[in-house]
Each structure stands twice: as structure tokens, then as C-alpha cells.
Amino acid sequence: MPTKRLPSLLLAVVAGVGVANTYYLQPLLHVVSVSLHLSGGNAGFLVTVTQAGFVLGLAVLLPLGDRFDRRLLIVVALALAGLFDLGAGLVSGVIPFGASLIGVGVFSVVAQLAVTYVAAAAPVETRASEIAKVMAGLLAGIVLARTYSGALSDLAGYHSVFLVAAAASVILAAIVWVRLPVEPAKDSLAFVAMWRDGILLLRTEPILRLRSFLGMLSFGSFSIFWTTMAFALSAHPYHLSSGLIGLFGFAGLAGVLSARVVGALADRGHAALTTVISFSLIALSYLAFYLTHDSLVIFIVLTATLDAGIQGAQLSNQSLIYRLAPGAQGRITMVYMVFYFVGGVIGSSLASILYGIGGWGDVTIAGTLAGGLGLVVWGIFATRERRWVNAIDHEGATMQIGQECGD
């Protein structure tokens, strides 16, 4: 499929709508905790439940994109995500609400199906830039999800957020069925074989191992912040409503802008530089959160710099892993994103516990350590990663692995 025919805009919308499902809840945690009679930071575990569902979807659904037409998978995933959104909008009680969130998480993997669609179709020389276009849509979905959910919850209650999301997912599924091109025929691979190939890639590709671990740290730091941010902003000294907390999503526009910049730099071979900058932003943003306590303006600025760092780290990782094993983008993404969202589950669980023990200050210390650890780990492997990348560029090492994965 030539680059000019890539349906980047439609795929960006799919990624945005899909990923939004996993972020509607974050600005609503205080309201939900009151409605469901959950104390302290316990409502944060509902974020963990959603992320756990997403990990399950990554492990089960995402590899199928290397075997079946991703257009069909995207349509099915959007429709089922809409069904579970409907459930979340209609039920009451912690258990049925949590069960609906698990389903929402599983089928929100459609966002990553959109990314792998373009990763498989784009030529190597523009792949990072094309991925950045879809990632910009994904990041915009995160931004708008937070703002939309907070505002609509103030107007009509948090259940309405999921009812509207259900309608949006079903409508988009119909549009994708009509407008998205069918992918070329693929090799017949058994599901067990795709899992085996994913494990083979993890074992044989040091870049995938390193970047998966860095992805786990970056998304862990993301979840640490957004799982507890609503509690911090609804308490002293801010006392903000869900609608105002949702507006903090606009600070995530820094992540949208950074994705385009990082994509262009990565295409020019500067993933090492963008990695250092990104993890430095994460660590320094959390450190500044710890040192400041009552300035809403500073809180907004640091939310922006933190999001820019996290999204920059994500795209830096993707710019390298998608150079591995042509034709196995689904399996590569499965491995990477399972690590990524395991980091999210750990981060959200840890944040909920730490907030209940020591409040926002303990949360920011954990985030600072996560960003700092990312810098340390990358620094240890930086020289070796440069050699690994050179091997890909000059020896074609990963093409052989890609052929093994197709056997």
C-alpha cells in the first residue's frame, strides 16, 4: 500500500476513540468513589481493572492482526467496546461496573490495531512519521477523553459518559467497515505459533527487550500520575470539580505536539536523544510536583511536561521496535504493549496504595524514581543499543528473524 494511500486520518480517529475508553474514568475517580462508596484511593483500582483488561486484549487480540485482516478486527473490536461501554453506562454497583470496565479494556486494544495497521503498511523511511500521525490521534483521544468525561459528568452524571462513548464506538465501526481498505492476504499462522513467535522475538531481539522495559517504566509513571491526580486536585488546596479536573486533559496537548517532533527526529536516527530528553522530563516533572504544593498554574505546566515526556518515550520506543521482523508488527506490538500495560497496572496499583498511605507526596516520589530508573537503564545499555541498531541497518539481522517468525 503506497504511503499516499495510507488512511492516516481515519486510523488516527480509530486510535483516539479506542484509547479514550481507557481514560474516561481518570477524572471521575472522586465522583465514582463517592457514588460506589469506596474510601480513600480504592477507586483507583478500577483503573487497574481496566488496564488489566487491556493487557488481556493485547495478549489475545493484537497478534491476530498478523493473521487476519485488521480492518475486520478493528470493526469487531469497536463494536464490542461499544457494547461494554453501554454496560458501564447502565449498571450500578462495584462488581458489575468493574466487570464492564474489564470488557472495555479488552476491546480498547483497537487503538493498537490502528497503530500496527499503519506500521505494516508504511515504508521504512517514513514509518516513524506515519506512526506519529496515528499516535497524534491516539494522544488527542487521551486529551479529549479526560476533558469530555469530566465536563459531561458534571452535566449529566458519570454514567452518561459511557453511554455516549458506546454510540461513538458503534458509529465509527460502521465508518471503518465502509472506508478502511482491506489488508493484503497474509500467511496462515496458528494462534499458538504467533505466541511462540512473540516469545522468540523477545528472546532474540535485545532492542525489543530493552524498549519493552523502558515502555513499562514510562507507562507506569503515567498511571502513577493519572490514577491519583483527581484525588489530589479535589482535595486541599485546590478543591476542583470533575469538570475542572477534566480540563487538565488539555495539558496533554504537549504530548500530541511532542509526538510529531519525536517522530521526525526518530526518522533521522535520533531515538537516543529523544529517549534521554523524555525520561528526563518524566523525572524532573515529578520532582517538581514533590517540591511545589499549592500552585495550580505550576500543576498545569508540570502535567504538560510530564505528558510530553511520557509520549516522547513511547514514540522513541516504537520508532525502533517496528524496524524489527517485517511482517510481525502485531506480534512485536503484543510483546511491547503487554510490558507497557503491565507497567500501567503496577503503576496504578502502587499509586492507589501510596496515596492511601502518604498522600500525593509519596506518589510523586514514586514517579521520580520511575523516570530516574528509565534514565539509568537506558544509560547502561546505550552503547550496546547503538551496535544493535547498526546491525539492523547494515547486516539485515532482523530480516532473518522475521523469516523465522513466518515459518
Side-chain angles (χ1 to χ4, degrees), residues 59-105:
V60 176
L61 299 179
L62 196 57
L64 298 179
D66 290 339
R67 169 65 178 84
F68 301 103
D69 176 24
R70 289 186 180 90
R71 168 179 170 266
L72 177 61
L73 293 176
I74 289 171
V75 168
V76 172
L78 281 170
L80 291 176
L83 179 63
F84 281 100
D85 273 325
L86 180 64
L90 295 177
V91 301
S92 59
V94 175
I95 293 178
F97 187 63
S100 297
L101 291 178
I102 292 175
V104 168

Side-chain angles (χ1 to χ4, degrees), residues 124-129 132 258-275 312 314-320 323 389 393:
V124 174
E125 60 272 15
T126 60
R127 182 171 295 147
S129 295
S258 70
R260 299 302 298 270
V261 174
V262 171
L265 288 172
D267 276 336
R268 293 196 288 268
H270 298 303
L273 173 62
T274 57
T275 300
Q314 165 78 329
L315 197 56
S316 298
N317 295 335
Q318 289 179 318
S319 71
L320 292 178
R323 298 169 73 174
V389 172
D393 292 339

Side-chain angles (χ1 to χ4, degrees), residues 44 65 71 79 89 140 220 248 254 261 277 304 310 325 331 339 342 363 398 401:
R71 168 179 170 266
F248 272 71
V261 174
I277 293 174
I310 291 166
R331 284 158 283 179
F339 274 85
V342 165
V363 170
T398 52
I401 294 173

Side-chain angles (χ1 to χ4, degrees), residues 196-216:
R196 180 201 66 200
D197 293 343
I199 295 171
L200 173 65
L201 284 164
L202 183 63
R203 189 173 71 241
T204 58
E205 287 291 358
I207 290 178
L208 183 58
R209 292 196 298 272
L210 174 60
R211 290 293 168 168
S212 294
F213 185 76
L214 291 177
M216 183 171 69

Side-chain angles (χ1 to χ4, degrees), residues 49-63 102-103 105-107 109 191 195 334 337-338 341-342 345:
V49 164
T50 308
Q51 291 174 341
F54 195 87
V55 172
L56 179 61
L58 290 169
V60 176
L61 299 179
L62 196 57
I102 292 175
V106 169
F107 295 105
V109 76
F191 184 78
W195 258 95
M334 174 195 71
M337 293 303 296
V338 165
F341 270 83
V342 165
V345 170

Side-chain angles (χ1 to χ4, degrees), residues 14 19 61 84 99 150 170 176 217 224 235 248 263 280 289 315 343 376 380:
V14 170
V19 77
L61 299 179
F84 281 100
V170 172
V176 168
L217 287 175
I224 286 171
F248 272 71
S280 296
F289 272 125
L315 197 56
V376 171
I380 292 171

Side-chain angles (χ1 to χ4, degrees), residues 3 25 43 86 88 138 146 155 157 187 199 215 217 232 304 324 350 396:
T3 303
L25 187 63
L86 180 64
L138 185 148
R146 299 165 182 161
L155 291 173
D187 294 334
I199 295 171
L217 287 175
L324 308 173
L350 180 64

